[in-house]
């Protein structure tokens, strides 16, 4: 087994070539991917020329405390969303000063999301497994999207989320 997977190497090379050619940088904030976005990006030789760093916001506690949300955001939080992904991207941009930030949050499994009620307790919510939200921040604006894998197995969703995130990143970079 090779790392990154062979089918991602061309995608990663295209992303790194764009960033290096433009002398731009990327940072990632991820949740359900479990660090795969950052791992894939740093697997490319010369990654230090374009990769500033990343943040893994996995638990509800870390997402709420480290995503740049205020007390109102926290009290209103119910489930991952595009607006939440955008807020994560904006906050990491401020912290690391990267040209671009890609953020990801979603529901990988094995069961439906457990999300906060704003008081620290948890409740069952109804987002389908395999749902992922991406946020992108760059000097020319923000973009977000929601994607679905149709899968229910956790590790497969994590891998697909990372793949979809890299595809989204490339598409946005090519438009910039």
């Amino acid at each position: 087994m090779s790392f990154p997977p062979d089918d991602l190497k061309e995608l990663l090379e295209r992303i790194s070539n764009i960033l290096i050619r433009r002398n731009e940088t990327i940072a990632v904030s991820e949740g359900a991917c479990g660090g795969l976005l950052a791992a894939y990006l740093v697997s490319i030789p010369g990654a230090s020329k374009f990769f500033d760093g990343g943040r893994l916001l996995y638990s509800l506690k870390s997402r709420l405390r480290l995503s740049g949300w205020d007390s109102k955001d926290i009290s209103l939080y119910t489930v991952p969303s595009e607006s939440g992904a955008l807020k994560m991207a904006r906050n990491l941009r401020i912290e690391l000063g990267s040209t671009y930030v890609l953020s990801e949050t979603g529901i990988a499994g094995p069961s439906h999301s457990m999300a906060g009620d704003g008081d620290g307790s948890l409740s069952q919510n109804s987002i389908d497994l395999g749902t992922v939200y991406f946020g992108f921040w760059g000097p020319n604006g923000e973009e977000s999207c929601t994607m679905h894998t149709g899968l229910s197995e956790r590790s497969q969703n994590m891998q697909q989320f990372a793949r979809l995130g890299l595809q989204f990143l490339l598409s946005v970079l090519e438009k910039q």
Side-chain angles (χ1 to χ4, degrees):
M1 173 192 265
S2 67
F3 188 87
D6 290 334
D7 62 325
L8 287 183
K9 288 180 181 175
E10 181 184 342
L11 178 63
L12 289 162
E13 287 175 14
R14 289 174 64 191
I15 291 168
S16 67
N17 287 339
I18 289 170
L19 294 169
I20 290 170
R21 183 179 74 245
R22 295 179 187 171
N23 197 31
E24 296 173 333
T25 59
I26 184 80
V28 296
S29 180
E30 50 192 310
C33 285
L36 285 174
L37 284 169
Y40 288 154
L41 287 165
V42 300
S43 72
I44 299 300
S48 62
K49 294 176 185 172
F50 66 86
F51 186 75
D52 280 335
R55 173 179 274 169
L56 177 57
L57 300 173
Y58 190 73
S59 72
L60 177 61
K61 181 179 175 180
S62 69
R63 282 184 276 161
L64 296 180
R65 289 195 176 165
L66 300 174
S67 62
W69 295 355
D70 60 26
S71 58
K72 181 181 177 188
D73 295 323
I74 291 169
S75 68
L76 296 175
Y77 181 81
T78 56
V79 292
S81 65
E82 283 186 40
S83 62
L86 284 170
K87 185 111 180 167
M88 289 165 50
R90 285 184 213 120
N91 190 60
L92 191 58
R93 162 59 173 98
I94 293 167
E95 289 182 27
L96 294 183
S98 304
T99 312
Y100 305 107
V101 177
L102 173 66
S103 65
E104 169 273 326
T105 184
I107 309 298
S111 63
H112 288 312
S113 168
M114 295 297 284
D117 287 333
D119 62 358
S121 65
L122 297 177
S123 65
Q124 192 73 25
N125 291 286
S126 60
I127 293 180
D128 291 333
L129 291 177
T131 301
V132 63
Y133 305 92
F134 295 106
F136 175 87
W137 187 96
N140 296 324
E142 301 175 333
E143 198 166 322
S144 64
C145 70
T146 302
M147 296 183 185
H148 307 277
T149 66
L151 302 170
S152 60
E153 202 278 315
R154 179 184 189 79
S155 64
Q156 289 176 344
N157 275 324
M158 292 172 67
Q159 292 172 58
Q160 280 300 106
F161 291 175
R163 180 181 319 279
L164 292 169
L166 292 170
Q167 290 168 346
F168 174 64
L169 174 60
L170 179 61
S171 72
V172 176
L173 288 175
E174 289 177 336
K175 290 189 280 186
Q176 297 288 309

